[in-house]
Amino acid sequence: MDAPLAATDRIRTRPAPDAPLFIVINGASGQQDADATCDTLARLCQAAGRRHSFLRVAGPDPIDRVAAEAVARARADGGIVVAVGGDGTLNAVAQAVLGSGCAYSVLPQGTFNYFGRTHGIPQDLEAAMRGLLQASVVPVQVGRVNGRVFLVNASLGLYPKLLEDREAAKQEYGRSRGVALLSGLRTLASGARRLALDIASGGDHRRVRTSTLFVGNNALQLARIGIDEAAVLGQGELAGLMIKPASRLALLGLALRGALGRLGAAENIESFVFRRMTVAPRGRRRIKVAVDGEVVWMRSPLVFEVAPEPLPLMLPPPELRVAVE
């Protein structure tokens, strides 16, 4: 499957076939796994005669600092910046790469991997690396909220709470989709606080009450839960999703509909597309926002938009991509 194109296909980043790789890997959560990953990648690079360097995130070093160093070195040497890890790692490295003139590649190692799966990048480490060694640049649309990049989604309200509870559950029970699902159901059963929002988009202004405002930039994720607007993503627009005021039982029903791929047909759901949207939570100067699985505080108002330039993503040749599942 060809990757969806951004609103513009103009992109100047064309690394050389033998461009060196600057590989950012987060070793803070599992030193032994990170060591094994580096050994595997080094072996494949050496076999292909490809120059490479590892930049590891460990201890007190924040990932954004390591990502910035990778970008600086790649710019100086005509290289490619590679992110290895889950959504948080991919997001942080993309934030540093966007607008830098460097090409970006991912070796997805997370739980859901919507970004990698959408673009046919294998989750198997060796397969993904072999694809990278033969990859070429394709421009890919990304979203931004208050200047911060999101590859998959950004949201406020109930969804950040779901993520916080899910992370706590994973710390206790381990990382798996089953743990994530059960944690989500427990959060929904506990109810949700409603937000009062002033929303402006495309010349329209309105006031709404909702438990969740979700903004998606990933067609695969939205298609899986049954949102028709998934079809327009990658064409210069983002998809918005709001849950109308609902009871706890209704929220659980919506979760079931999402699991069955029929969420878009629910009467408690409003979905829409936009290019730029300003959201002001009434009575709040700051609010928690979930950005590609990471929960951060942001100042109001929130501005959601398509980034003005695409991300130069390195994609394997079609024969080395995996089918979107």
Side-chain angles (χ1 to χ4, degrees), residues 261-312:
R262 302 205 309 260
L263 187 61
E267 62 180 17
N268 288 332
I269 292 293
E270 177 186 348
S271 56
F272 53 94
V273 295
F274 67 93
R275 286 181 168 81
R276 180 184 173 91
M277 177 174 66
T278 301
V279 178
R282 273 175 270 165
R284 298 192 184 193
R285 294 184 178 179
R286 298 199 312 154
I287 191 168
K288 285 183 179 180
V289 181
V291 182
D292 286 348
E294 301 291 322
V295 180
V296 297
W297 284 97
M298 289 190 175
R299 289 190 175 276
S300 175
L302 304 174
V303 178
F304 295 88
E305 61 185 347
V306 175
E309 63 181 287
L311 185 67

Side-chain angles (χ1 to χ4, degrees), residues 26-45:
N26 194 339
S29 60
Q31 189 72 22
Q32 185 174 359
D33 290 343
D35 288 341
T37 296
C38 289
D39 289 344
T40 298
L41 298 181
R43 171 173 54 82
L44 294 172
C45 286

Side-chain angles (χ1 to χ4, degrees), residues 211-236:
S211 60
T212 296
L213 172 61
F214 179 96
V215 176
N217 184 53
N218 186 274
L220 176 61
Q221 184 183 45
L222 293 181
R224 285 297 169 83
I225 60 177
I227 302 300
D228 292 339
E229 284 78 2
V232 307
L233 295 183
Q235 302 175 28

Side-chain angles (χ1 to χ4, degrees), residues 25 32 55 138 209 227:
I25 180 167
Q32 185 174 359
L55 294 90
V138 172
R209 295 188 68 85
I227 302 300

Side-chain angles (χ1 to χ4, degrees), residues 92-167:
V93 179
Q95 177 77 46
V97 169
L98 188 67
S100 70
C102 297
Y104 173 73
S105 184
V106 302
L107 301 176
Q109 299 291 294
T111 302
F112 293 98
N113 293 321
Y114 280 116
F115 184 73
R117 288 162 59 199
T118 293
H119 299 292
I121 299 172
Q123 185 171 355
D124 177 79
L125 183 64
E126 294 200 24
M129 189 62 191
R130 291 191 182 98
L132 168 57
L133 292 171
Q134 302 179 51
S136 57
V137 170
V138 172
V140 170
Q141 173 181 295
V142 298
R144 297 195 308 188
V145 51
N146 284 13
R148 176 160 178 163
V149 162
F150 59 94
L151 303 176
V152 179
N153 60 58
S155 62
L156 56 150
L158 180 59
Y159 197 66
K161 173 63 173 169
L162 283 168
L163 291 177
E164 289 181 326
D165 290 349
R166 186 178 76 185
E167 188 59 31

Side-chain angles (χ1 to χ4, degrees), residues 55-80:
L55 294 90
R56 297 182 56 161
V57 182
D61 290 335
I63 189 168
D64 54 352
R65 182 185 303 167
V66 177
E69 179 184 350
V71 168
R73 292 176 62 180
R75 290 184 67 180
D77 206 11
I80 298 166

